[in-house]
Amino acid sequence: MSFAPLRAQASPLGSRAPHRLAYELLNLIRTGVFCRGDWLPTESELLKEFPVSRTVLREAIIVLECLGLVESHHGVGNQVIGGCPRSDPNSPAAFDLLELLEACRAF
């Protein structure tokens, strides 16, 4: 599976590399490349597709976890559990995305 290269400009989630990667992965989930119940490619596979460090990839996954899109299973991988972020205004668990990103930076 081949993904589009990570764009150098800022994403709606922020300009840091983890935020740009999280946005790319979020778009793959939103467009149905990865659906609820699917497992994301392994860390090694994602690192081959995206020119980032392991730390950047792990931070991006944490952002997706905070958005309610994936769930990490230690030693198994990352499973897609949602199709749209919980920050969707129609979601009952809506929250401020900027506050969320600030919280994610603590990781």
Side-chain angles (χ1 to χ4, degrees):
M1 178 178 297
S2 181
F3 304 112
L6 192 59
R7 295 181 192 95
Q9 69 268 17
S11 77
L13 294 179
S15 61
R16 293 183 59 237
H19 297 155
R20 293 192 321 263
L21 178 56
Y23 188 68
E24 293 293 325
L25 293 170
L26 180 148
N27 282 328
L28 293 172
I29 293 168
R30 282 187 171 167
T31 59
V33 173
F34 301 114
C35 299
R36 184 179 304 228
D38 288 348
W39 292 89
L40 291 180
T42 66
E43 212 173 67
S44 297
E45 292 169 336
L46 287 170
L47 290 171
K48 287 178 186 174
E49 296 295 333
F50 295 103
V52 298
S53 69
R54 188 174 303 276
T55 301
V56 166
L57 174 60
R58 289 180 177 174
E59 285 184 38
I61 297 297
I62 289 170
V63 170
L64 294 178
E65 281 184 282
C66 292
L67 291 172
L69 293 173
V70 301
E71 185 174 81
S72 292
H73 299 273
H74 183 71
V76 179
N78 301 294
Q79 187 174 30
V80 178
I81 60 169
C84 62
R86 282 187 239 146
S87 61
D88 179 347
N90 297 322
S91 172
F95 53 79
D96 184 305
L97 184 58
L98 292 176
E99 287 179 18
L100 170 69
L101 291 176
E102 287 298 320
C104 286
R105 288 182 188 178
F107 289 100

